[in-house]
Amino acid sequence: MVEALIPKETGVGFRMTKEEPPSTSKDLQELQKKLSLLVESIQNNSKMVAFMKSPVGQYLDRHPFMALTVLVFVVMSAIPVGFFLLIVVLTSLAAFVGVILLEGLVISVGGLSLLCVLCGLSFVSLAMSGTIIVSYVVVSSLVNYWFPPSSQVKPSTDHALGSKVIEALFNPVFLKMSHLRPETGHCFTYGHC
């Protein structure tokens, strides 16, 4: 980038070179290609194929909102469960020394604390999943509205930004929530497809 700003000697004289920044649509297309390759590599994993053939995998495939909620819950509960298991191991070591009553008390209190934390995390993960789904739908609708495919005619640009946001929210793509996976025909979003 710095080399582009240094004048270069030519036959006529000094001239500044200027690089054009890549367009946003090319960046979005490249990002979409990378994400599709990542999703494809995950879907072709033998363990993932075996899981998706199980009854739980088929249920989560039919209910993507539930799958996202379970994923967020598992990620968020890893630290409290690990902390609880650490306390269990440490108190088990203390039990070998002769503190059996203390172990029972600590495990009982730890178990109740873990139960309370996991109940709270289930509500938080449900709320975060809802927020992620709504954000995905709104952002994808706005991106589809502001950067339509080349086959569609771009709307006039003399509208104010506020009217564009209102129009994007009432865009048929947003109302139908028709974000389908091409290989399965299942919805990415929670709603009617």
Side-chain angles (χ1 to χ4, degrees):
M1 176 111 178
V2 175
E3 291 83 15
L5 299 176
I6 299 174
K8 295 184 178 182
E9 189 175 359
T10 62
V12 177
F14 289 102
R15 182 172 54 169
M16 300 291 285
T17 60
K18 185 178 180 182
E19 294 181 14
E20 293 184 17
S23 69
T24 307
S25 62
K26 288 182 182 178
D27 290 341
L28 289 174
Q29 290 173 351
E30 187 173 320
L31 180 63
Q32 183 182 9
K33 287 178 186 177
K34 288 180 181 178
L35 287 175
S36 65
L37 288 174
L38 177 66
V39 168
E40 184 178 328
S41 68
I42 291 172
Q43 288 177 344
N44 292 335
N45 187 347
S46 61
K47 292 181 181 179
M48 182 59 75
V49 170
F51 174 74
M52 292 307 289
K53 288 182 180 179
S54 70
V56 174
Q58 290 174 356
Y59 176 80
L60 292 177
D61 191 36
R62 289 190 306 265
H63 301 88
F65 181 74
M66 182 62 71
L68 182 61
T69 302
V70 168
L71 177 68
V72 171
F73 177 76
V74 167
V75 169
M76 291 179 63
S77 64
I79 293 174
V81 170
F83 186 69
F84 175 74
L85 292 176
L86 178 68
I87 289 175
V88 168
V89 168
L90 292 177
T91 56
S92 296
L93 291 174
F96 291 126
V97 179
V99 192
I100 295 174
L101 293 176
L102 180 63
E103 177 190 8
L105 176 67
V106 170
I107 289 178
S108 298
V109 170
L112 288 174
S113 300
L114 179 65
L115 179 65
C116 293
V117 168
L118 291 180
C119 287
L121 283 178
S122 65
F123 291 117
V124 170
S125 63
L126 185 64
M128 286 182 66
S129 298
T131 304
I132 291 169
I133 292 293
V134 169
S135 300
Y136 170 76
V137 170
V138 169
V139 168
S140 64
S141 295
L142 290 175
V143 166
N144 285 338
Y145 180 75
W146 286 329
F147 303 104
S150 59
S151 64
Q152 294 180 353
V153 177
K154 193 170 187 176
S156 64
T157 58
D158 58 341
H159 290 63
L161 179 61
S163 64
K164 285 184 180 180
V165 171
I166 291 172
E167 288 177 17
L169 290 176
F170 292 102
N171 190 344
V173 172
F174 177 77
L175 293 176
K176 288 182 184 176
M177 294 185 207
S178 60
H179 305 289
L180 299 177
R181 277 192 279 182
E183 67 274 0
T184 63
H186 291 106
C187 293
F188 278 127
T189 60
Y190 182 75
H192 306 289
C193 293

